[in-house]
C-alpha cells in the first residue's frame, strides 16, 4: 500500500518475484554459446571448492539462487525447492545492499588454477535502469574464467568495473582475491554468480554426480564444496536480507541502496521493515512492533503467499503521536510460518 499522506497505521508490502537479472553468457570474454545444464551424470573427480566471497553467509551475504536441475520448463533446485529459475546455471551469492558493494567485497578463487579469460569495462548499472539491450552478449558483465585442469573450470560474473586483481594467464591459489563484487551485466542487485563446468557443460556443485533432471529433498549438498564452504552454503528455507526501522514507508529501491532514514523520536512515523528472500507459496508473513512496555504498537499478518517470491519487503508502523515517541526500547518481530511451523524469525530493536 502506498499513500502520499501517512495514515495513523502503516501497513504494506513490496514484492519482487522475478529472478532479478542473471548471466546468460558462458564466458567472461569472447564467450562461446551458453552451455546447458548437464544431461549426463557428472563425474565427482572435480576440484574441491572453497567459499568464493569475502563475506559471511547469514551476516553480510546470502545464497539467493541455485542451479536449475529441471530439464523442462519448470524449475527446481538440487533440494527440489524453488530457489532458482528457468535454466539458471550457477550459484548466486548476494550482498545485502549496494552500500556493501560500494564498501568493496572481494571475490575469491574457489580452487587453484589458471586465468584463461576475463572481461573488464562493463558499467556497474542495474539492468532495470540500463535495459537488457545494454548487456546483450555480455550478460555475465565483468567476469573471470579459471581453468582447474581435467576439463574443469569456474566462472565468476557481475564483477565490479576496474576491480580486477588478476590478468589472463595468471596462476591463482584457492582463496586468492581475483576481483570485487559489482553490478555489471544482467543483474539488478550486487552478487557473485559462480558457474562450475566440466568439458563446457554446467555442473551443479552441490550434487555433481546426480542423475540428469533429478533432485533430492534430503541431500546434504556437500558435492564439490570443501567442509567450510559446504557449511557456509548449506541450504536454507529462506533468509532475512535487511531489517530495520524507517522514518516512513520504505521503498525497495531505498532498501537496496542501503539508504533508509532511521526515525527519531519526533519524526513523522515509526516504521519497521523486513526484506526476506526465497519465500515459498503458502508462507504466512507476520511483522509487529512493540512499545517499551511490550504492548503491540502495530502489527500485520498477511494471507498465505500465492506463489514463491525471490524477495519480499514487508513493513508496518504507526504515525508519531503528538509530543513524539517516549523514551525506551522499541522492538519489532518478524516471523515466516511454513506448513504450520516458523521457518524464519528475527527480532530487532530501536531505542529513543
Amino acid at each position: 500500500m502506498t499513500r502520499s499522506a501517512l495514515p495513523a497505521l502503516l501497513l504494506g508490502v513490496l514484492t519482487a518475484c522475478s529472478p532479478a537479472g542473471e548471466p546468460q553468457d558462458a564466458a567472461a570474454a569472447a564467450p562461446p554459446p551458453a552451455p546447458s545444464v548437464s544431461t549426463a551424470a557428472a563425474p565427482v573427480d572435480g576440484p574441491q571448492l572453497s567459499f568464493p566471497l569475502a563475506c559471511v553467509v547469514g551476516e553480510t551475504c546470502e545464497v539467493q539462487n541455485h542451479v536449475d536441475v529441471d530439464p523442462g520448463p519448470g524449475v527446481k533446485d538440487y533440494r527440489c525447492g524453488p530457489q532458482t529459475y528457468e535454466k539458471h546455471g550457477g550459484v548466486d551469492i548476494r550482498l545485502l545492499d549496494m552500500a556493501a558493494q560500494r564498501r568493496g567485497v572481494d571475490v575469491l578463487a574457489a580452487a587453484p588454477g589458471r586465468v584463461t579469460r576475463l572481461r573488464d569495462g562493463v558499467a556497474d548499472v542495474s539492468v532495470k535502469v540500463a535495459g537488457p539491450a545494454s548487456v546483450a552478449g555480455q550478460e555475465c558483465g565483468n567476469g573471470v574464467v579459471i581453468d582447474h585442469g581435467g576439463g574443469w573450470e569456474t566462472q565468476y560474473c557481475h564483477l565490479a568495473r576496474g576491480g580486477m586483481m588478476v590478468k589472463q594467464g595468471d596462476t591463482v591459489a584457492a582463496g586468492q582475491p581475483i576481483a570485487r563484487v559489482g553490478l555489471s551485466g544482467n543483474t539488478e542487485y550486487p552478487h557473485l554468480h559462480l558457474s562450475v563446468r566440466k568439458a563446457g557443460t554446467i555442473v551443479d556443485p552441490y550434487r555433481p554426480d546426480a542423475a540428469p533432471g533429478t533432485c533430492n529433498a534430503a541431500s546434504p549438498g556437500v558435492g564439490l564444496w570443501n567442509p567450510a564452504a559446504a557449511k557456509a552454503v548449506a541450504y536454507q528455507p529462506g533468509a532475512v536480507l535487511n531489517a530495520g526501522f524507517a522514518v516512513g514507508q520504505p521503498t525497495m529501491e531505498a532498501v537496496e541502496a542501503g539508504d533508509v532514514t532511521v526515525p527519531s523520536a519526533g519524526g513523522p512515523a515509526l516504521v519497521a521493515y523486513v526484506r526476506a528472500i526465497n519465500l515459498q507459496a503458502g508462507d504466512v508473513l507476520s511483522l509487529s512492533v512493540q512499545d517499551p512496555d511490550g504492548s503491540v504498537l502495530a502489527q500485520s499478518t498477511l494471507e498465505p503467499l500465492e506463489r514463491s517470491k525471490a524477495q519480499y519487503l514487508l513493513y508496518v508502523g504507526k504515525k508519531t503521536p503528538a509530543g513524539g515517541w517516549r523514551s525506551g526500547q522499541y522492538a519489532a518481530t518478524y516471523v515466516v510460518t511454513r506448513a504450520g511451523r516458523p521457518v524464519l524469525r528475527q527480532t530487532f530493536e530501536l531505542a529513543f
Side-chain angles (χ1 to χ4, degrees):
M1 178 170 67
T2 301
R3 299 178 182 174
S4 56
L6 289 172
L9 183 66
L10 302 174
L11 304 171
V13 296
L14 292 168
T15 74
C17 51
S18 71
E22 282 302 325
Q24 300 298 319
D25 58 338
S36 59
V37 173
S38 177
T39 58
V44 293
D45 61 344
Q48 191 174 57
L49 305 177
S50 59
F51 189 67
L53 271 185
C55 64
V56 178
V57 175
E59 296 181 15
T60 54
C61 59
E62 297 288 353
V63 178
Q64 174 80 58
N65 291 308
H66 298 277
V67 173
D68 177 20
V69 302
D70 193 311
V75 299
K76 58 185 176 183
D77 57 44
Y78 76 96
R79 287 283 298 265
C80 309
Q83 294 183 14
T84 186
Y85 60 91
E86 178 68 10
K87 296 182 180 179
H88 186 240
V91 180
D92 293 340
I93 304 170
R94 177 177 185 168
L95 303 187
L96 304 187
D97 53 33
M98 284 300 300
Q101 189 275 330
R102 289 190 295 270
R103 289 191 295 269
V105 177
D106 287 348
V107 176
L108 312 175
R114 183 175 62 88
V115 176
T116 56
R117 300 190 296 278
L118 62 79
R119 176 171 57 219
D120 198 353
V122 181
D124 289 296
V125 179
S126 169
V127 73
K128 288 180 66 176
V129 175
S134 68
V135 294
Q138 52 184 22
E139 288 86 353
C140 173
N142 302 312
V144 173
V145 175
I146 299 176
D147 181 1
H148 305 290
W152 289 91
E153 63 182 12
T154 51
Q155 179 182 358
Y156 310 76
C157 292
H158 309 312
L159 310 181
R161 182 170 64 179
M164 291 292 175
M165 303 177 192
V166 293
K167 61 183 183 300
Q168 190 169 352
D170 281 356
T171 297
V172 297
Q176 178 179 330
I178 59 173
R180 288 193 167 183
V181 177
L183 193 68
S184 61
N186 190 19
T187 183
E188 297 176 6
Y189 53 82
H191 73 283
L192 170 68
H193 172 99
L194 174 71
S195 291
V196 180
R197 290 191 289 270
K198 173 67 183 290
T201 300
I202 290 290
V203 173
D204 188 341
Y206 289 86
R207 295 187 71 218
D209 57 344
T214 65
C215 60
N216 181 353
S219 171
V222 174
L224 297 174
W225 302 107
N226 69 24
K231 183 178 180 179
V233 301
Y235 198 86
Q236 300 296 330
V240 171
L241 204 63
N242 313 96
F245 291 90
V247 71
Q249 298 170 8
T251 65
M252 191 75 79
E253 291 76 14
V255 174
E256 182 59 57
D259 189 26
V260 177
T261 302
V262 178
S264 63
L270 176 65
V271 181
Y273 68 92
V274 174
R275 180 168 62 158
I277 62 172
N278 290 329
L279 302 177
Q280 295 187 14
D283 285 355
V284 176
L285 280 58
S286 175
L287 179 60
S288 62
V289 180
Q290 296 82 40
D291 68 14
D293 291 334
S295 300
V296 175
L297 192 67
Q299 182 173 10
S300 176
T301 299
L302 305 184
E303 293 295 318
L305 297 179
E306 295 182 358
R307 61 182 184 274
S308 297
K309 304 289 184 180
Q311 62 178 6
Y312 203 105
L313 176 62
L314 174 63
Y315 60 88
V316 64
K318 195 169 185 180
K319 187 176 180 181
T320 302
W325 299 106
R326 61 191 179 91
S327 298
Q329 199 87 8
Y330 293 78
T333 301
Y334 176 78
V335 180
V336 175
T337 303
R338 181 174 300 162
R341 66 182 186 88
V343 294
L344 287 178
R345 181 183 181 90
Q346 184 153 331
T347 298
F348 48 102
E349 299 177 334
L350 177 69
F352 290 135

